[in-house]
Amino acid sequence: MSVGQYIIYSNYKRSLIDDYKAKHTYKSQQVREDYRLLIDQLQYDFRKVENQNILKINQLYERYEREKKHFDIKKVADELNKDVAFGEYQVFLINRDYIVEKASYENDIGYDLGQYKAMKDLLQSVFDKKIDIDISVPILDSTSMTFKRFLHKLSDDGKYLLQIGYVLNIYENLKVKYQHYSREAISMNIYLVNEYILQEINLRDKLFTKKSIADEWKSSKSLLSLLSSHTNDTKLQQIIDTIDRDVKNKSLNISHELSKVFNNKDRLISYLDLKSNTFFIYSITDGLFIKGNEMKLIIKIEYSTNELQKNIRLVFYFLMTLCMVIFVILYFIYLFLYNNVTNKLVGIINDIQEGNKSSIRAIKIKEIDYLNSKYNESVEKTNKEREKNILLLKENKRFIADTVHQIRTPLTNILMNSEMVKKYQNDQKLLKFINQIEASVNMLSNSYEDLAYVTTCDTIEYRPTKISLSKIVTQRVKFFEIISEVNLKRNISNIEDNIYLVINDIECERLIDNNISNAIKYATPNKPIFVELYNNKDTNGVILEFKSFGKPIKNVARIFEKNYREYEAKRGLGLGLNMVKGICKKYNISYSATYIDGQNIFTYTFNSPRES
C-alpha cells in the first residue's frame, strides 16, 4: 500500500510540475513576443533612416571641411536635427587616440574608445581609409537608456573621425510592459545582445549612470554564469573566459554563440529548483527585421514556486490522509479476520495437535464452523476406535508377555539338554546336527531376549551399573561362535582388557548381540567377522566396532529406522538396529555405519563415564 501511494504521489507531483512549467513557459513566451514586437519596431525605425543617416554623415563631413577651426559641434547638431521629425542626431569628434574629444552629447566627452581591441581595430580601419563609412549595430546607452546607431567617417584632414549617433527612445514602452509582467515574477531582466556586447536594459529605476563596456560585462556576466550553472553548457563558460581576456574580441561573436546555446525548438531554457523555491526561464528572440546576428533580446524571468509547493503539499497530505483511512479500514478488517478466522483456526489447530475435541464456539464463518463440527465428529469416532485399540493392544501385550514367559522354561531345558547330549555322545556324525540344533537354539534365545526387552523396556527401569565391557563383549562373541560356524562364518575378536563402563548390562548385551547377529545374517560366507574394542586416546572415549565383508548398505540413513530391512528376502522383524538406536540415545553413545574396503563397519563411541 505504501509503495502504491508513493507511486501515485510521484505521478501527481510530476503532473503538477509539468503543468506549472507549461503555464509559466507560456507566460514567458507572451513576454518575449511583446518585447520582440517593440524591438521589431525599433529595428524598423533604424532601417527607415539608413539613407538619411548616410546623408547626415556626409553633411557633417562637408560642414567640418568648410569650418575646421570654427567648427561648432552644437550648432552642427542643431542643424542636423532641424528637419528630423522622429528621433535625434548626436555629433562626436574622435581623435587619433580614440578619445571622444568633442560631442553634442556631453556625457560622452573624454570617453576612451581605444581601450578595447575590437573597437580600436574598427576605428583604425576607418583612419586607414579601409572603410569609407562604418555603420554600427544598435547599442544601448546606459546613461539615458536610449538606443543609438553610430556612423563613422574620416575627416578631410585625417585628424578626426566624424561620428553621428541616431538616437531612438522606447524606454517608456519597455517600462510599461515590464511593470505589467513583473508583478507575477520574483524578478525579470532584459538583455540586449549584439556581436560584441551584452547589455542589461535597466527597467527597475531611473538612476542611470554611464557604464564602460567592462562595467556592462561585469553586471552581465552574472547572467551567463547563472545560465551556465543551470545548463552545464561549456560554450557559455568559453564566452565568459574570452570576455575576461578581451572584452571585445573580434573573433568572438556573442550573439552567434548564444544562438547555439538556445538551440531547441522553443528557444527556451528552464531550470526548476524546489529547494531554493525558484523557477528560471531564459528566452531569446530575433526581431523580424534583424539580419543574422545583428541584435537579439534575452529575457530572464524568475518565478516563485510557492504555489507549486503548496499544491504538492496538498497532494501529499491528501494521500497521507487517504493512506491512514485505508490503514484504519484494513486494521478493522484485520481485527475481524483475526477474531473470527485466525483465532478460531488457531484454536482448532491447537486442539488438533493435542488430540482433543475442539472447544471453539460462536463461529461466525460458515466454512470454519462446518470444519469445526466435522473435526469434532472425527475426534469422537477416533476416540472410540482408539479405546478399542488400547484394549486390544493391552490384550496383545499381555499375550506376548505370557508367551515369552512360557517360552523361557522350555528354551532353557532345550539348551541344557543340548549341552548334555553334546557332552556325552561319541558319534561324530551326530555332532554336525547337534551343532545346528545348538545354533538354532542360541538364535532363538537371542530373539527371545530381544522380544523380552521390547515388551518390558517401557514398564521396567533398566538401571545402569558399572560393568566390565571387555568381559561382556568376550562372552557375547563366544555365545555367537556356534551360530557363526553353522552359517559358514567365523568371529575374530580384538578386545582390549579392563574396560569398564556405567551402563545396564542387559541393554549392553542387546547392543552387542544385534550387531553380531546382523553381521552373521548379511556377511559374505567364508569371510571373517571382526569385533574390536579399544580405548580412543585422542578423544578419551571407548570404541566398539563390528566389521563384516558383504554388499554395501543401500540406505545408510534408514538402517537404524524401525521396521526397516535392507533385503526383504531376509526374514526378521526389523527391530534390532532401531532398538540399538534407542539404547545409544539413552546413554549418549555416538553411532555410525560406513563401507570401507568391502566391509560394512558399525562404530559405537561410548562417551559416558567410564573407568579402566
Side-chain angles (χ1 to χ4, degrees), residues 298-508:
I298 293 181
I299 302 171
K300 180 189 77 116
I301 306 179
E302 181 182 356
Y303 294 102
S304 170
T305 61
N306 285 334
E307 182 182 354
L308 172 62
Q309 300 212 44
K310 178 183 177 183
N311 291 333
I312 291 174
R313 285 194 297 271
L314 288 175
V315 170
F316 176 77
Y317 294 147
F318 170 75
L319 291 176
M320 286 298 294
T321 304
L322 180 62
C323 189
M324 293 299 297
V325 170
I326 294 174
F327 176 79
V328 170
I329 293 172
L330 290 176
Y331 177 71
F332 281 109
I333 293 174
Y334 163 77
L335 288 179
F336 174 80
L337 293 176
Y338 178 78
N339 292 326
N340 295 280
V341 178
T342 305
N343 208 20
K344 304 296 184 183
L345 287 175
V346 169
I348 294 172
I349 290 171
N350 289 336
D351 289 331
I352 291 173
Q353 290 176 340
E354 295 174 2
N356 299 327
K357 190 175 180 180
S358 174
S359 58
I360 305 301
R361 298 291 181 271
I363 300 174
K364 296 182 179 180
I365 307 300
K366 181 179 179 181
E367 290 77 5
I368 299 177
D369 184 57
Y370 178 77
L371 173 65
N372 189 58
S373 62
K374 287 298 179 182
Y375 168 70
N376 284 336
E377 291 177 6
S378 175
V379 169
E380 289 179 0
K381 292 180 181 179
T382 302
N383 287 339
K384 291 179 181 178
E385 293 295 328
R386 185 168 58 184
E387 290 174 1
K388 291 180 182 179
N389 290 334
I390 290 173
L391 291 174
L392 182 60
L393 185 62
K394 286 181 179 179
E395 292 296 326
N396 288 340
K397 195 170 183 180
R398 187 182 299 112
F399 173 76
I400 292 171
D402 291 343
T403 302
V404 169
H405 182 72
Q406 293 295 329
I407 290 173
R408 182 184 292 274
T409 302
L411 184 60
T412 303
N413 288 334
I414 292 172
L415 284 171
M416 292 177 62
N417 286 297
S418 173
E419 289 177 1
M420 294 299 294
V421 171
K422 185 176 181 180
K423 182 177 180 182
Y424 292 107
Q425 69 85 26
N426 295 320
D427 190 351
Q428 293 298 319
K429 294 180 180 180
L430 295 176
L431 185 59
K432 177 181 177 181
F433 300 103
I434 294 172
N435 286 340
Q436 288 181 351
I437 293 171
E438 184 178 356
S440 298
V441 171
N442 282 349
M443 288 294 295
L444 183 60
S445 176
N446 181 59
S447 298
Y448 165 79
E449 295 298 338
D450 282 345
L451 190 59
Y453 178 77
V454 170
T455 57
T456 59
C457 65
D458 57 346
T459 57
I460 296 176
E461 182 181 0
Y462 288 87
R463 294 182 178 181
T465 59
K466 188 175 74 172
I467 64 170
S468 173
L469 184 59
S470 302
K471 184 177 179 180
I472 289 181
V473 173
T474 301
Q475 290 175 350
R476 301 319 297 169
V477 170
K478 186 176 180 181
F479 175 81
F480 280 94
E481 281 182 355
I482 189 66
I483 301 174
S484 296
E485 184 181 337
V486 169
N487 285 275
L488 304 177
K489 317 278 176 33
R490 61 190 178 91
N491 298 336
I492 299 176
S493 60
N494 183 14
I495 301 171
E496 191 174 316
D497 295 332
N498 299 321
I499 294 179
Y500 293 87
L501 285 177
V502 178
I503 188 174
N504 183 269
D505 55 346
I506 294 176
E507 291 176 320
C508 185

Side-chain angles (χ1 to χ4, degrees), residues 176-188 303:
V176 169
K177 291 188 179 296
Y178 174 83
Q179 291 172 344
H180 173 72
Y181 287 117
S182 61
R183 295 170 188 167
E184 299 181 18
I186 296 176
S187 66
M188 187 169 78
Y303 294 102

Side-chain angles (χ1 to χ4, degrees), residues 161-201:
L161 282 184
L162 305 176
Q163 176 180 280
I164 64 168
Y166 181 67
V167 183
L168 290 176
N169 190 352
I170 61 168
Y171 180 80
E172 291 303 323
N173 292 336
L174 293 172
K175 182 81 171 180
V176 169
K177 291 188 179 296
Y178 174 83
Q179 291 172 344
H180 173 72
Y181 287 117
S182 61
R183 295 170 188 167
E184 299 181 18
I186 296 176
S187 66
M188 187 169 78
N189 303 83
I190 302 173
Y191 300 85
L192 190 68
V193 186
N194 57 42
E195 295 179 58
Y196 305 113
I197 192 169
L198 186 152
Q199 298 174 285
E200 182 178 1
I201 303 175

